[in-house]
Amino acid sequence: MSLAGKLEAEVEMIKANGEQIFHICSGRKAHHTPKLCPEMVTKVDLHEGDWDTHGSIKVWTYVTEGKVETMKEKVSVDEESRIVKLTALEGHCLELYNTYNLIFHFIPKGETDTVVKITIQYEKKNDDVPPPQKYLDFVVGLIKGLDAQLTKQ
């Protein structure tokens, strides 16, 4: 049985400006996330680089399934393709997975709508480790929460 896997989901019909959420996911405005969704993300710290730099490293503190977890990630951004990749360097997810990559692909639909395709690529440490469905559910919920909060503004 293969230890490598991939989970995917799509969040359709973003009501807020898809650019705003792209800038949050790409790191430029990640530090706004705790103000927008404090029940999900309690803190985002800049560890290396700056908020705008490709390759910068950030540490996210978030709550999933009632537990506080952290993830130190390195961001890579393909502006032209509208793809953001977060590679886990440290954190709770790496207790279960040898590798963990979170990928956002922002796909325009019509003049105002955006679909966010979310992919988690991972390699489990052993066969007993479940797929990271809880993290996919968290990220889908976070995108929907950001969408709802940004729509109010």
Side-chain angles (χ1 to χ4, degrees):
M1 181 180 227
S2 175
L3 298 177
K6 178 169 71 169
L7 293 177
E8 296 180 322
E10 287 188 356
V11 178
E12 295 189 41
M13 303 288 284
I14 290 184
K15 297 170 191 73
N17 180 341
E19 277 299 297
Q20 291 174 298
I21 296 176
F22 176 79
H23 289 305
I24 288 171
C25 293
S26 68
R28 285 188 199 115
K29 296 187 177 183
H31 54 286
H32 293 290
T33 308
K35 292 177 187 170
L36 294 167
C37 295
E39 70 287 352
M40 298 185 80
V41 177
T42 59
K43 185 168 60 168
V44 182
D45 290 324
L46 185 62
H47 181 74
E48 187 177 301
D50 59 47
W51 295 108
D52 293 330
T53 304
H54 173 78
S56 65
I57 297 174
K58 295 166 191 69
V59 179
W60 293 74
T61 304
Y62 55 92
V63 180
T64 181
E65 295 183 343
K67 295 179 183 173
V68 176
E69 296 191 11
T70 60
M71 181 177 88
K72 181 189 283 186
E73 51 84 357
K74 184 174 187 175
V75 65
S76 60
V77 181
D78 181 336
E79 293 276 348
E80 188 174 322
S81 298
R82 311 308 284 164
I83 296 174
V84 176
K85 180 179 179 183
L86 306 179
T87 299
L89 303 175
E90 294 177 11
H92 289 85
C93 61
L94 292 180
E95 292 173 2
L96 299 172
Y97 308 99
N98 292 318
T99 60
Y100 179 92
N101 296 297
L102 176 59
I103 302 163
F104 299 95
H105 186 188
F106 290 78
I107 305 162
K109 295 287 182 182
E111 290 184 29
T112 58
D113 295 335
T114 302
V115 172
V116 181
K117 181 178 179 185
I118 303 161
T119 304
I120 297 177
Q121 298 171 335
Y122 61 92
E123 180 186 343
K124 300 187 291 185
K125 289 195 182 258
N126 61 58
D127 283 328
D128 296 329
V129 173
Q133 186 66 47
K134 79 171 190 173
Y135 294 117
L136 183 63
D137 295 344
F138 171 81
V139 174
V140 167
L142 180 61
I143 294 295
K144 289 179 178 179
L146 289 169
D147 182 36
Q149 290 302 312
L150 292 167
T151 300
K152 291 179 184 178
Q153 294 182 351

